Amino acid sequence: MEVGIEDCLHIEFEYNKSRYHLREVVLGKIFFLLVRIRIKHMELAIIKRESSGVGANAYTESDTVAKYEIMDGAPVRGEAIPIRLFLSGFDQLTPTFRNVNNKFSVRYFLNLVLVDEEDRRYFKQQEVFFYRKGP
């Protein structure tokens, strides 16, 4: 996943896969390719988005399962930040469900948020899939 603001900020977020068992570990790295703005800190969050209903009766609810500050201070060009997020500690996580009878879905997103010194927030979301292994 690549995030960028033209001529100001370019970062690359790599993680090992897009499908995870509910007891696995999300491993990844964030690379700073171009940094021309003053970043105060960076956060990584797991967002759970539940949808139910059809058409005009559709209802969507988003919930932040976890939020971590993964960097504090201004990075430099070429810097790499390692990511290790253990999923086993979150009881709220359930498997991903997509369009069950076209009426219900549960989806998860990794949300990367950068906050600059003027408290402007830049973010990028990437969908991830969680599953539960059978016995």
Side-chain angles (χ1 to χ4, degrees):
M1 173 170 62
E2 200 168 308
V3 181
I5 304 167
E6 193 171 330
D7 297 329
C8 290
L9 176 71
H10 289 280
I11 63 173
E12 200 172 274
F13 180 30
E14 294 180 1
Y15 52 98
N16 56 345
K17 53 188 175 178
S18 62
R19 298 182 183 277
Y20 296 95
H21 182 266
L22 293 174
R23 301 289 176 226
E24 280 189 303
V25 179
V26 177
L27 297 173
K29 282 189 177 183
I30 298 172
F31 299 99
F32 289 89
L33 307 175
L34 175 67
V35 182
R36 290 193 181 146
I37 60 174
R38 301 282 300 167
I39 297 174
K40 188 164 55 173
H41 69 270
M42 182 169 29
E43 302 169 349
L44 181 66
I46 300 175
I47 307 294
K48 178 180 182 179
R49 189 166 295 148
E50 297 181 12
S51 302
S52 62
V54 180
N57 295 329
Y59 177 73
T60 302
E61 182 177 320
S62 292
D63 184 31
T64 302
V65 175
K67 184 192 291 188
Y68 292 100
E69 185 174 300
I70 56 175
M71 185 192 75
D72 189 21
V76 294
R77 183 176 177 260
E79 189 171 3
I81 308 288
I83 303 295
R84 182 170 288 169
L85 181 60
F86 292 88
L87 300 175
S88 60
F90 305 114
D91 295 333
Q92 307 97 314
L93 290 180
T94 62
T96 300
F97 294 103
R98 298 182 83 190
N99 294 331
V100 177
N101 293 328
N102 288 330
K103 293 183 180 180
F104 177 74
S105 67
V106 178
R107 298 167 64 184
Y108 291 93
F109 296 88
L110 286 180
N111 190 25
L112 184 65
V113 180
L114 290 97
V115 180
D116 69 5
E117 289 186 341
E118 297 171 5
D119 286 330
R120 291 182 295 214
R121 301 173 72 82
Y122 308 98
F123 65 93
K124 180 68 174 180
Q125 286 187 346
Q126 178 70 34
E127 186 171 9
V128 290
F129 300 91
F130 295 140
Y131 64 91
R132 183 178 298 143
K133 292 180 185 174

